[in-house]
Amino acid sequence: MSEIRTEAREELKSYIERIERLVEEIATIKDDQRVLFAELKSKGYDPKAVRRIIKRRQKDPDEIAEAEAIDGTYMHAIGMAAESPLHAQVSRLVRDGMSRDEVIEAFQMLVPVNGEVIASVGGAPMRIWRTEDGKAFAEDYVPPLFENFMKKRGAA
């Protein structure tokens, strides 16, 4: 029985000593990191920007894009961004020289499930929407008032 307690005591002591070594290694690494950032700053670089870049490089690109889209939407909603995120994205697509069909395809990816967007694509208004199951559709858009006007005109 005494032998079992001694074994358990030695095992526990071993774990504690290993953890203590790791804590010391972490402290050494943090000291090295502080020295590197001080050197970086002395060379004229912005340590805060470098830290942001390091954090960003550790994230998944899709996670970054989603976070930026949400941030852009919120910033636009509270008046911190003049241009809506969707409008900014479309502007980028147009600047990249995409064809009308490619812009429509890209729009279809941006429209949320069960949502719709009416946008001017190549000068013509388009209604782009997605169904509950995620299928995307696009059609030329005719404003409802014009449809009603045309119906009345045809009936008269």
Side-chain angles (χ1 to χ4, degrees):
M1 185 85 153
S2 169
E3 205 173 288
I4 294 174
R5 279 194 229 142
T6 305
E7 243 179 70
R9 191 178 348 188
E10 290 302 315
E11 185 179 49
L12 178 60
K13 184 178 177 184
S14 171
Y15 279 118
I16 291 171
E17 288 171 349
R18 287 169 54 196
I19 291 169
E20 287 173 340
R21 278 194 302 275
L22 287 173
V23 168
E24 287 175 20
E25 288 177 27
I26 289 169
T28 302
I29 289 170
K30 287 187 178 205
D31 287 341
D32 291 346
Q33 189 178 23
R34 274 191 280 280
V35 168
L36 268 174
F37 274 102
E39 184 180 332
L40 180 93
K41 187 174 182 176
S42 73
K43 298 281 186 178
Y45 296 103
D46 182 352
K48 287 181 183 178
V50 171
R51 287 183 194 277
R52 285 192 305 268
I53 290 168
I54 290 168
K55 281 184 182 179
R56 188 179 181 112
R57 287 171 50 113
Q58 293 170 343
K59 290 184 180 179
D60 179 82
D62 292 336
E63 186 181 334
I64 293 169
E66 182 179 350
E68 286 178 349
I70 292 169
D71 291 353
T73 301
Y74 287 5
M75 289 173 66
H76 178 68
I78 64 173
M80 288 181 67
E83 193 174 68
S84 75
L86 183 59
H87 185 265
Q89 182 70 14
V90 172
S91 295
R92 275 188 230 113
L93 295 174
V94 171
R95 277 195 305 270
D96 290 345
M98 296 178 77
S99 72
R100 182 176 189 268
D101 292 339
E102 288 172 321
V103 170
I104 291 170
E105 277 184 47
F107 253 131
Q108 289 174 329
M109 301 292 280
L110 296 171
V111 175
V113 172
N114 274 343
E116 71 176 50
V117 171
I118 297 172
S120 177
V121 180
M126 296 287 303
R127 176 179 174 245
I128 302 165
W129 75 99
R130 289 178 65 179
T131 59
E132 194 171 297
D133 60 356
K135 290 183 181 174
F137 299 92
E139 66 184 6
D140 289 333
Y141 177 71
V142 179
L145 293 175
F146 184 72
E147 284 178 1
N148 291 339
F149 172 75
M150 292 305 289
K151 283 180 187 174
K152 288 179 184 175
R153 187 174 172 200

